[in-house]
Every structure is written in structure tokens, then in C-alpha cells.
Amino acid sequence: MTAPTPRLQTDRFTLRPVERGDAAALFPSFSDEGVMRYWSRPAFKSEEELADWLMDKSWPGRTWVAVERAGDGPAVARFVASDEGMGTSEIGYLVCREHVRRGIARECLSALITHLFRVEGRRRIFADVDPDNTGSNRLLESLGFTREAHLRENWVTHIGVRDSYVWGLLAREWPSG
């Protein structure tokens, strides 16, 4: 059973559980072929399709959206953590296109990683990233993740057969805070 999704705070943002209404703010990015290029699925065709996907309870993970610290504004990013068993979580994220390069992913992922390690007691966090997704690969490396694997022809996606990098971070490698 998946734990409830807690609210997390950073200096500038609140990470709160996703709500169906967040689809409106996320849809312009999740419907953009360029933004969705390295995802395992193509861009969404409708806001309703995205809302259904965001609220899918069969997925064994938890989903957050980042909103301005006051908590009243629209979602500016989506973050996920799935429980992969034995103290391991997989993370994923997408910052809305009009908000990229503002440090949102770094700030919010840092809070999420700290929560997963320090509150939930995870021992390992990993991410699976397309090798051509330069921004995500650089971000994970800068956060202290180690590239553990290059899996050749690992996925068949909407853009074809793709390799993937697996990035891992251990609890003992994450700074105390």
C-alpha cells in the first residue's frame, strides 16, 4: 500500500498532492511534443485525458505538484515517487515549459529526496532518464546521483527504441539537513 502524499515546503514552493484541477495548469506542457519528447508516452491530447492519468489510483506511486509557497497559484511542475520495494524509490519530474531554468526542479527535488531519505527511511533513490535528455542528466549528476547503468535499447516509446541511463543515490550520500 502506498503511503499518503505529504505536503512538503521549500523556500519558494509548496509540494502538495496532485488534484484533478491541476490538469489545467499542466496541460500546456504535457500536450507539447517537445516537452514530452523523452517521456515514455506521447503528449496528451486533452486536458481530460491528462486529468484521468494524473488521478490514476492503480499506479503504485505518489504524485505532487509544486505551487508557489502561498499555495494558491497554479501548478508549475509535477514530481513523482514510486515505492519499488526494499527501501528503494524511483523519482520523476517535469517542470512546465514556461518555468524551466529557474531552479524549480533542483529546489523541489532536494526537498523530495530529503523527505524520502530522512522521513520515510528510504535507502536508495533512482531515476531512469533518456541519454539525450541533457537537462535531466545534468541535474541528477549535480544533485549527487551516480550514473549506474547505460541500458541499450531499453524502451520502445513514441519516438522509437531508446536507451536509458539509470541514476542512483544512496541515503548515506545525501547531505544531512
Side-chain angles (χ1 to χ4, degrees):
M1 179 172 178
T2 302
T5 305
R7 292 177 74 89
L8 306 174
Q9 294 293 149
T10 74
D11 289 341
R12 299 182 297 157
F13 300 97
T14 297
L15 279 79
R16 62 161 173 76
V18 68
E19 299 170 356
R20 188 169 188 85
D22 293 322
L26 297 173
F27 183 70
S29 293
F30 277 80
S31 64
D32 183 302
E33 293 290 341
V35 173
M36 295 294 288
R37 178 169 178 77
Y38 300 119
W39 278 65
S40 58
R41 59 151 294 138
F44 289 85
K45 300 294 183 204
S46 72
E47 194 175 303
E48 182 176 340
E49 177 191 19
L50 175 59
D52 289 345
W53 180 79
L54 289 170
M55 302 311 295
D56 183 357
K57 300 295 184 199
S58 68
W59 182 70
R62 291 171 290 158
T63 303
W64 290 262
V65 293
V67 297
E68 297 297 329
R69 177 107 171 137
D72 306 7
V76 298
R78 174 186 179 261
F79 298 87
V80 298
S82 62
D83 181 353
E84 299 297 322
M86 297 186 295
T88 300
S89 288
E90 181 177 9
I91 59 168
Y93 45 89
L94 186 144
V95 175
C96 294
R97 68 175 176 232
E98 65 272 19
H99 298 284
V100 297
R101 292 181 178 54
R102 296 183 186 174
I104 296 169
R106 172 179 304 287
E107 183 175 333
C108 293
L109 277 178
S110 293
L112 178 56
I113 291 165
T114 297
H115 174 80
L116 291 170
F117 283 146
R118 304 295 181 249
V119 176
E120 295 189 14
R122 297 286 164 194
R123 65 175 178 77
R124 180 174 186 276
I125 297 171
F126 74 95
D128 180 342
V129 181
D130 189 294
D132 291 334
N133 189 341
T134 306
S136 270
N137 288 307
R138 283 184 185 154
L139 173 63
L140 292 168
E141 185 174 30
S142 74
L143 286 170
F145 281 75
T146 298
R147 194 175 91 192
E148 299 175 332
H150 179 169
L151 305 176
R152 299 176 306 146
E153 297 187 9
N154 192 46
W155 298 108
V156 177
T157 73
H158 59 288
I159 60 172
V161 176
R162 304 299 297 172
D163 291 4
S164 64
Y165 287 163
V166 176
W167 293 90
L169 181 66
L170 303 178
R172 68 177 178 266
E173 299 167 335
W174 189 245
S176 296

